[in-house]
Amino acid sequence: QVQLVASGGGSVQSGGSLNLSCTASEYTFRQYCLGWFRQVPGKEREGLAAIDSDGNTNYAESVKGRFTLTQDSAKRTLYLEMNSLKPEDTALYYCAADDCLSYEYPYLGQGTQVTVSS
């Protein structure tokens, strides 16, 4: 069973920073590829950053240079460090898992809200 729990969201002013965490069950962390996504009501899900089966990290252009994805295998936790936040970064953020084959990330954790005010 895939288990993902995200935390760390909140409200911040434009230019500020937030750090998100996503803790996975041991099975999920070992067997799946994980990534961070966000969604705004009425819009499609946006992939932000993910680690592929080779251990490479890929970023969306919208966050490249501002967001950093890291992981701590001992803690089974995926992190997303977000800097230089903009109002357009306001969204529900969540981590998701994939079988490392389709990269469709069908397994979603519960989200954490990030709100950036101008």
Side-chain angles (χ1 to χ4, degrees), residues 60-76:
E61 285 299 321
S62 60
V63 303
K64 195 174 292 185
R66 299 189 299 124
F67 292 10
T68 303
L69 184 154
T70 58
Q71 64 177 4
D72 185 329
S73 298
K75 296 182 178 179
R76 307 189 315 273

Side-chain angles (χ1 to χ4, degrees), residues 52-102:
D52 64 22
S53 57
D54 294 325
N56 300 312
T57 303
N58 301 295
Y59 294 94
E61 285 299 321
S62 60
V63 303
K64 195 174 292 185
R66 299 189 299 124
F67 292 10
T68 303
L69 184 154
T70 58
Q71 64 177 4
D72 185 329
S73 298
K75 296 182 178 179
R76 307 189 315 273
T77 299
L78 197 70
Y79 301 98
L80 188 66
E81 178 183 350
M82 305 186 297
N83 298 312
S84 303
L85 284 164
K86 307 173 183 179
E88 51 263 44
D89 292 319
T90 295
L92 182 68
Y93 285 68
Y94 54 93
C95 51
D98 182 84
D99 60 6
C100 305
L101 295 174
S102 67

